Amino acid sequence: MNRFSSYITLQTVRLDVSAASRKRLFEEASALFEVAYGISHSEVFDALIARERLGSTCVGAGCALPHGRLPELEEPALVFLRTAEPVSLDSPDGRGVRLFFCLLVPENDEKDYLGVLREIACLLSQKPMRQALLDAADDVAVCELLHAWEPPADLHASAEAADALSENEDVNDETPRTDD
């Protein structure tokens, strides 16, 4: 099982969205978050725009992972949008974007959401999966694809090892002193 499938439902998927700009796409995503999770449209929009101002969330290959933080959230919230036509954004490969996973996380979530982002980025790095999402006939097909996807067994291993090392460094941070 992947870390994001529990957030993907028929209510969190919207296909063939008409959006000619980043602003319009974020308005559509914000409306979807409001319907699916009851989160204020304007708060979602502001959070997505604030994060995007720090740098583009486009990952290339026609995909983007807009995300933001909201203090009132208790757990992550995720929506998936596929646009009818590519949206011209600041993509590293210059390609228009059609596949959008938009993620909101609690303000104080420092690690859990990184696992979700890591998995979505991995999924989007797989050309057959991107094509399947583009070709999916309806919301049900998208949900089935996303629920069936399994991350590689070692995807989180390096991040977990780094976390463990960091925790050990914190414990062993006290260097014995010698008074010579």
Side-chain angles (χ1 to χ4, degrees):
M1 177 177 206
N2 61 57
R3 296 182 182 192
F4 60 82
S5 63
S6 63
Y7 305 111
I8 297 294
T9 68
L10 295 177
Q11 289 183 317
T12 63
V13 173
R14 183 163 299 151
L15 303 181
D16 303 324
V17 172
S18 178
S21 67
R22 174 180 287 120
K23 180 182 177 189
R24 184 70 189 127
L25 186 279
F26 285 179
E27 287 171 350
E28 289 287 338
S30 298
L32 189 54
F33 275 111
E34 188 169 49
V35 169
Y37 295 99
I39 306 169
S40 163
H41 175 277
S42 61
E43 288 180 29
V44 172
F45 184 83
D46 291 346
L48 293 175
I49 289 292
R51 169 54 189 86
E52 200 72 16
R53 284 186 181 128
L54 298 175
S56 176
T57 55
C58 294
V59 296
C63 306
L65 293 168
H67 53 283
R69 295 180 179 271
L70 288 176
E72 66 275 6
L73 285 182
E74 293 182 16
E75 64 179 3
L78 178 69
V79 298
F80 172 80
L81 296 97
R82 181 182 74 194
T83 59
E85 298 295 326
V87 181
S88 180
L89 300 173
D90 304 325
S91 184
D93 59 7
R95 293 175 54 185
V97 179
R98 289 195 59 209
L99 302 175
F100 295 87
F101 282 89
C102 302
L103 176 67
L104 296 173
V105 297
E107 187 74 43
N108 58 359
D109 184 337
E110 295 300 326
K111 291 184 182 177
D112 293 336
Y113 86 97
L114 291 175
V116 173
L117 281 178
R118 188 179 302 112
E119 285 190 3
I120 294 170
C122 180
L123 174 142
L124 292 174
S125 73
Q126 300 171 356
K127 187 174 183 174
M129 179 54 83
R130 291 192 311 269
Q131 193 59 54
L133 289 170
L134 289 169
D135 294 341
D138 55 28
D139 300 358
V140 172
V142 168
C143 287
E144 288 173 349
L145 283 167
L146 297 177
H147 282 258
W149 184 81
E150 291 288 336
D154 63 343
L155 180 64
H156 300 287
S158 60
E160 289 167 0
D163 288 345
L165 181 60
S166 172
E167 289 171 11
N168 286 337
E169 286 175 357
D170 292 343
V171 170
N172 297 323
D173 208 17
E174 297 179 18
T175 307
R177 293 181 185 210
T178 58
D179 294 324
D180 290 310

